[in-house]
Amino acid sequence: MAIVVGPGITIGPGITLERGAVVSVTLVYDLDAANYSAVPVNGTKDATGTYTLSVANTTNRISWAADNGGVFRMTGSGATSADYIYGGPNWTTGQSYTVFMAYKRSTAASGRLLNTQVEAQKDWMMGLYNGNPDAFFPNYAVNLPASGADLVWHFGWATWNTSTSLGQLYTATSSQPTGTAYSVTNAGGGGFNNLRLFSRSSGSEAQTGDIGFVKVYNGVLTLSDVQLLYSQYKARFGY
């Protein structure tokens, strides 16, 4: 069995121990603003040391802030942004996964908060959609919200089971999940090719807001895993 202790230390395959929370699958990509004191430098690695980050911030719409232990923040106006951070695995097909994110909307927002970098393979997004929380679209709608916009911190766990074609979304704010919030099967679903913060791959549909972290696991987390991670991170975001 594999144990990963914090970011970057792995012992064998199978179990991830992350800052006190032991879960049943391995953390393979870890972009956590708590590990930074500024916007990441282009070409550096995520906290696992595995994936190279691509970063451009020519118009300075992306910043780092010390709030909640560290957040990446998109500000400014305009539906298109030339600024981006993206990285992570190419899991468009053939891989079960969980993407775990902490995020918060800003006062003005209309777009996609977390998106695949290569939409030609699969159209994938999660988090905020046009300012509304709890979105998950792994090439089909598990949940595509048209309302619900608020200004509080949200947790989302988006899972895809490649064997059963099942997409699920766990969600939380001030209390832990007790089950999946949304669950839809579709054989046309799948994954992503790198994960891009704050806009679509073309830079369109830019979404203002804060992202505390994006963490990717190489399998489907169980409800017990999700509850452990909620307990681990809730205090950082005021719960």
Side-chain angles (χ1 to χ4, degrees), residues 52-111:
T52 300
L53 302 176
S54 295
V55 181
N57 200 24
T58 55
T59 63
N60 296 312
R61 289 189 65 180
I62 300 175
S63 60
W64 180 91
D67 305 13
N68 302 101
V71 301
F72 300 121
R73 178 169 291 161
M74 167 74 87
T75 56
S77 59
T80 301
S81 174
D83 300 340
Y84 56 78
I85 302 171
Y86 69 82
N90 177 0
W91 283 353
T92 307
T93 60
Q95 176 67 51
S96 298
Y97 62 80
T98 302
V99 180
F100 175 31
M101 179 166 62
Y103 63 96
K104 180 167 73 78
R105 174 185 177 269
S106 65
T107 54
S110 180

Side-chain angles (χ1 to χ4, degrees), residues 163-215:
S163 297
T164 61
S165 300
L166 177 63
Q168 296 181 307
L169 182 67
Y170 296 89
T171 66
T173 54
S174 59
S175 59
Q176 70 175 8
T178 57
T180 55
Y182 305 95
S183 182
V184 181
T185 299
N186 188 308
F192 47 85
N193 186 346
N194 285 244
L195 291 171
R196 178 181 177 119
L197 280 60
F198 301 119
S199 72
R200 298 187 71 166
S201 57
S202 63
S204 64
E205 296 186 37
Q207 174 72 60
T208 55
D210 289 356
I211 295 176
F213 55 71
V214 176
K215 299 174 184 285

